[in-house]
Each structure stands twice: as structure tokens, then as C-alpha cells.
């Protein structure tokens, strides 16, 4: 795996937010339309859940680092009446989200490292986290396409 905190991985000229958003657009446009449409509803359902219960960014990141099927499963029961919806959701993620040896903890750490290394604003982070894990990996492993990556 490519280290994310390397000294050559810093924002360069231009706005890092614009570079990330441009690359996200490229990734989404290149995705197979049918696959994108099939997953779009499930992603939207998870996004709506996160917004409805005002889930913290940290917990949303943990959820979004899971495969989409697990995200949908974990967010299926509603959180109506929960005093701290973010804590309840994190508990579900910890109980149900991690299969033995599935690499989710490592993937979440890699995503966290990427987002912290470039200090994107909340809108850019949210857009990035809404991508499927394989799309996030394309952006994190980008070799020079995004200005946020290279000096």
C-alpha cells in the first residue's frame, strides 16, 4: 500500500477541494451506468439516514468505510428515540460491521489518513465518503491526476 502521509503528497497550486471534486466527477462518469444506478439508491438511503439522525462525521466515516451491503444492513433499523444516535450507530458498526480479517479497520485508517493529510473541507469529505470504497481507492492511489496529490 502507498503511504498516505508521505512528504510528496501535499496540495499544490490551485484548490485541493476543486481537484478532489474534479477527480470524484471523473470516477463517477467512468463508472458503469447500470452499476452506478443500482448502487445509487442504496447510497442515497444511507446518506438520508446519516442526515436524518445528524450522525457525526467520525461515525459516518466509520460506516462509509464498510461495504455498501453492510452499510444498508446497519442503517436498516431506525434510531427514533435514541438519545445519542451517533453512539448507537457506532455500537452497531462495532458489533456488525467488522467480519474477521475483512480489512475494514485498515481501510478506515487509510481513508482517515488521506482526509487528514489534505485537510479537505466538510463538503469535500462528505462527497468523498459517499463514494464506494473502490472509487475512494482510485482517488487515494491516483498517480498525478489530482492536484491534491503531487508537488
Amino acid at each position: 500500500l502507498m503511504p498516505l502521509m508521505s512528504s510528496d503528497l501535499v496540495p499544490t497550486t490551485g484548490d485541493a477541494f476543486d481537484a478532489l471534486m474534479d477527480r470524484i466527477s471523473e470516477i463517477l462518469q467512468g463508472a458503469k451506468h447500470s452499476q452506478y444506478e443500482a448502487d445509487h439508491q442504496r447510497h442515497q438511503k444511507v446518506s438520508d439516514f446519516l442526515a436524518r439522525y445528524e450522525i457525526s462525521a467520525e461515525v459516518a466515516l466509520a460506516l462509509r468505510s464498510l461495504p455498501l451491503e453492510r452499510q444498508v444492513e446497519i442503517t436498516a433499523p431506525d434510531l427514533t428515540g435514541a438519545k445519542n444516535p451517533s453512539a448507537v450507530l457506532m455500537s452497531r458498526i462495532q458489533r456488525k460491521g467488522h467480519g474477521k480479517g475483512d480489512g475494514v479497520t485498515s481501510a478506515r485508517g487509510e481513508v482517515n489518513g488521506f482526509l487528514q493529510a489534505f485537510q479537505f473541507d466538510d463538503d469535500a469529505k462528505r462527497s468523498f465518503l459517499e463514494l464506494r470504497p473502490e472509487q475512494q481507492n482510485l482517488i487515494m492511489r491516483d498517480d498525478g491526476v489530482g492536484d491534491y496529490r503531487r508537488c
Side-chain angles (χ1 to χ4, degrees):
L1 295 174
M2 188 169 128
L4 294 177
M5 301 304 283
S6 173
S7 62
D8 64 292
L9 300 177
V10 294
T12 61
T13 60
D15 184 17
F17 171 80
D18 290 338
L20 177 63
M21 296 309 291
D22 288 347
R23 187 62 179 132
I24 288 172
S25 293
E26 289 173 20
I27 296 290
L28 292 177
Q29 289 172 4
K32 293 181 181 177
H33 185 70
S34 61
Q35 179 182 351
Y36 175 76
E37 288 300 318
D39 288 345
H40 180 72
Q41 269 190 312
R42 295 190 301 169
H43 276 287
Q44 189 59 50
K45 185 176 180 179
V46 172
S47 294
D48 292 346
F49 179 94
L50 295 173
R52 180 173 50 249
Y53 295 108
E54 300 178 355
I55 301 300
S56 72
E58 178 184 355
V59 175
L61 175 62
L63 179 69
R64 290 295 193 180
S65 70
L66 299 173
L68 182 57
E69 297 76 27
R70 284 211 184 130
Q71 293 178 40
V72 171
E73 176 188 336
I74 288 170
T75 58
D78 74 23
L79 295 175
T80 303
K83 289 182 181 179
N84 186 341
S86 291
V88 173
L89 185 59
M90 183 56 92
S91 175
R92 287 183 192 172
I93 292 166
Q94 291 170 340
R95 277 194 331 263
K96 299 179 179 180
H98 307 294
K100 195 170 192 172
D102 66 1
V104 170
T105 301
S106 173
R108 184 173 51 237
E110 191 172 345
V111 168
N112 277 333
F114 175 78
L115 293 174
Q116 289 173 359
F118 300 107
Q119 299 178 351
F120 297 114
D121 67 18
D122 289 342
D123 290 335
K125 287 178 184 178
R126 195 171 12 265
S127 295
F128 181 79
L129 293 172
E130 289 177 358
L131 294 173
R132 294 189 313 268
E134 62 272 14
Q135 292 170 322
Q136 292 174 352
N137 286 333
L138 284 172
I139 290 171
M140 290 189 298
R141 302 211 185 335
D142 193 353
D143 287 329
V145 175
D147 288 338
Y148 57 90
R149 300 282 327 222
R150 289 274 188 214
C151 290

